């Protein structure tokens, strides 16, 4: 009898242990996205529930109530650098992302709370910023709740939220120019082989700043590295913008010569296309 009892206990223990090791897919999978932005990055972590034949907004996700904007755990945004949302500056750090969906307008909330998984846990005093967004009706249905970054520039980005045939957009901005200008001013206090003349000149040229100053720095960059075919190419672009057509042609031809020596066909092609515009 004792042996039989021990056998039953062992079988039960084995069954429990086996069951505890069972791993199945999560009903709402988690997704983490990291996007370079400005001089830092944004990281988004959320869960992606599926429609599964259900009515979503106004039913599964009630209108007028705080939604964790996903499933399972809280949805979070981590900013590696200061950003602005709705005109409010938000320091670098990790924040919760919540929404209050409604038929004609959504309230998007950035909060200090990182644990809101149900409306009762939300405390409005922890809000960092609230913005209003108009939900848009889209043609293609998103079976799973989806968030993604889109329309990325050096200083602006959009967070798109999509489920069923509804899409909502949250614009985010960051101040890049003042930070880059401060770096340039500091870096160019010295004048040696490591002074970043090329990067400074390229930033000036690409961002509508003083082209004459940019050309001065491009000239110094090719003096630093006489084999830098990429620097001759960008110098030619700068000269073309300044109306210095013949100088631009000479610089582009020099870039082609050096690029061929380096077996870099991409820059040969780039310069050839530039020369076509200068004829």
């Amino acid at each position: 009898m004792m042996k039989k009892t021990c056998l039953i206990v062992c079988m039960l223990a084995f069954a429990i242990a086996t069951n505890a090791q069972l791993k199945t897919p999560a009903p709402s999978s988690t997704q983490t996205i990291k996007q370079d932005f400005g001089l830092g990055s944004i990281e988004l972590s959320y869960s992606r529930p599926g429609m599964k034949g259900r009515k979503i907004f106004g039913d599964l996700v009630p209108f007028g109530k705080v939604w964790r904007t996903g499933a399972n755990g809280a949805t979070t945004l981590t900013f590696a650098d200061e950003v602005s949302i709705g005109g409010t500056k938000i320091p670098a750090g990790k924040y919760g992302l919540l929404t209050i969906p409604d038929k004609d307008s959504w309230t998007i909330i950035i909060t200090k709370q990182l644990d809101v998984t149900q409306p009762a846990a939300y405390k409005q005093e922890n809000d960092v910023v609230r913005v209003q967004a108009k939900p848009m009706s889209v043609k293609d249905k998103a079976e799973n709740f989806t968030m993604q970054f889109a329309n990325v520039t050096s200083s602006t980005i959009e967070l798109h939220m999509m489920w069923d045939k509804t899409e909502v957009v949250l614009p985010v901005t960051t101040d890049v120019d003042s930070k880059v200008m401060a770096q340039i001013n500091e870096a160019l206090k010295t004048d040696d082989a490591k002074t970043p003349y090329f990067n400074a000149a390229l930033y000036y040229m690409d961002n509508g700043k003083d082209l004459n100053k940019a050309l001065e720095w491009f000239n110094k960059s090719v003096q630093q590295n006489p084999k830098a075919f990429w620097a001759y190419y960008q110098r030619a672009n700068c000269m073309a913008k300044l109306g210095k057509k013949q100088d631009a042609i000479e610089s582009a031809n020099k870039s082609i010569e050096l690029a061929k020596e380096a077996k870099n066909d991409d820059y040969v092609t780039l310069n050839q296309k530039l020369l076509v515009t200068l004829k």
Side-chain angles (χ1 to χ4, degrees), residues 146-158:
T146 301
M147 289 199 281
Q148 65 183 30
F149 296 109
N151 300 322
V152 184
T153 72
S154 61
S155 60
T156 62
I157 194 171
E158 293 175 348

Side-chain angles (χ1 to χ4, degrees), residues 74-105:
T75 297
T76 60
L77 281 169
T78 303
F79 304 115
D81 201 359
E82 180 184 83
V83 300
S84 291
I85 295 177
T88 298
K89 290 184 178 181
I90 302 175
K94 188 174 184 178
Y95 300 89
L97 171 65
L98 303 169
T99 52
I100 303 176
D102 224 321
K103 186 176 181 180
D104 299 316
S105 180

Side-chain angles (χ1 to χ4, degrees), residues 102-174:
D102 224 321
K103 186 176 181 180
D104 299 316
S105 180
W106 281 37
T107 301
I108 303 175
I109 304 166
I110 305 298
T111 174
K112 295 176 184 176
Q113 287 183 266
L114 302 176
D115 59 351
V116 179
T117 57
Q118 56 183 334
Y122 168 64
K123 295 180 177 62
Q124 189 169 342
E125 61 266 27
N126 290 315
D127 287 3
V128 177
V129 64
R130 279 181 165 221
V131 295
Q132 299 300 123
K134 186 175 179 60
M136 298 175 289
S137 180
V138 295
K139 180 180 178 181
D140 296 326
K141 180 175 69 175
E143 171 65 29
N144 290 89
F145 177 55
T146 301
M147 289 199 281
Q148 65 183 30
F149 296 109
N151 300 322
V152 184
T153 72
S154 61
S155 60
T156 62
I157 194 171
E158 293 175 348
L159 175 59
H160 289 230
M161 309 176 201
M162 298 160 285
W163 204 8
D164 195 358
K165 291 188 175 182
T166 297
E167 181 173 2
V168 176
V169 177
L170 174 66
V172 182
T173 63
T174 189

Side-chain angles (χ1 to χ4, degrees), residues 26-275:
S28 301
S29 59
T30 299
Q31 182 176 55
T32 298
I33 306 169
K34 189 171 184 179
Q35 172 67 55
D36 288 346
F37 177 52
L39 301 181
S41 63
I42 303 178
E43 184 172 298
L44 167 68
S45 182
Y46 73 108
S47 293
R48 304 185 62 194
M51 289 182 64
K52 300 177 181 177
R54 300 173 292 185
K55 180 182 178 182
I56 303 304
F57 297 111
D59 191 352
L60 180 65
V61 179
F63 286 143
K65 290 188 177 181
V66 171
W67 179 39
R68 57 188 161 187
T69 319
N72 302 330
T75 297
T76 60
L77 281 169
T78 303
F79 304 115
D81 201 359
E82 180 184 83
V83 300
S84 291
I85 295 177
T88 298
K89 290 184 178 181
I90 302 175
K94 188 174 184 178
Y95 300 89
L97 171 65
L98 303 169
T99 52
I100 303 176
D102 224 321
K103 186 176 181 180
D104 299 316
S105 180
W106 281 37
T107 301
I108 303 175
I109 304 166
I110 305 298
T111 174
K112 295 176 184 176
Q113 287 183 266
L114 302 176
D115 59 351
V116 179
T117 57
Q118 56 183 334
Y122 168 64
K123 295 180 177 62
Q124 189 169 342
E125 61 266 27
N126 290 315
D127 287 3
V128 177
V129 64
R130 279 181 165 221
V131 295
Q132 299 300 123
K134 186 175 179 60
M136 298 175 289
S137 180
V138 295
K139 180 180 178 181
D140 296 326
K141 180 175 69 175
E143 171 65 29
N144 290 89
F145 177 55
T146 301
M147 289 199 281
Q148 65 183 30
F149 296 109
N151 300 322
V152 184
T153 72
S154 61
S155 60
T156 62
I157 194 171
E158 293 175 348
L159 175 59
H160 289 230
M161 309 176 201
M162 298 160 285
W163 204 8
D164 195 358
K165 291 188 175 182
T166 297
E167 181 173 2
V168 176
V169 177
L170 174 66
V172 182
T173 63
T174 189
D175 178 13
V176 172
D177 188 65
S178 65
K179 295 174 183 176
V180 173
M181 290 298 291
Q183 291 183 55
I184 289 174
N185 292 336
E186 183 63 28
L188 269 61
K189 285 181 179 178
T190 59
D191 183 8
D192 55 38
K194 294 183 179 180
T195 304
Y197 288 118
F198 176 77
N199 289 338
L202 192 60
Y203 185 80
Y204 261 51
M205 183 175 70
D206 288 346
N207 289 275
K209 298 188 181 296
D210 187 346
L211 287 176
N212 287 297
K213 178 58 70 173
L215 180 56
E216 176 188 332
W217 291 339
F218 277 130
N219 287 334
K220 289 190 175 183
S221 74
V222 297
Q223 290 172 8
Q224 285 176 322
N225 185 356
K227 295 289 186 179
F229 51 85
W230 59 90
Y232 281 97
Y233 168 70
Q234 295 295 357
R235 184 176 73 165
N237 275 317
C238 187
M239 288 170 168
K241 290 177 183 292
L242 283 167
K244 299 177 181 291
K245 183 177 177 180
Q246 190 55 44
D247 291 339
I249 291 171
E250 291 177 7
S251 189
N253 283 324
K254 181 63 176 179
S255 181
I256 290 174
E257 176 190 329
L258 294 170
K260 285 181 176 179
E261 287 179 12
K263 295 181 172 53
N264 191 305
D265 294 336
D266 289 341
Y267 268 87
V268 172
T269 301
L270 285 171
N271 280 285
Q272 288 172 340
K273 288 181 178 179
L274 176 58
L275 286 171

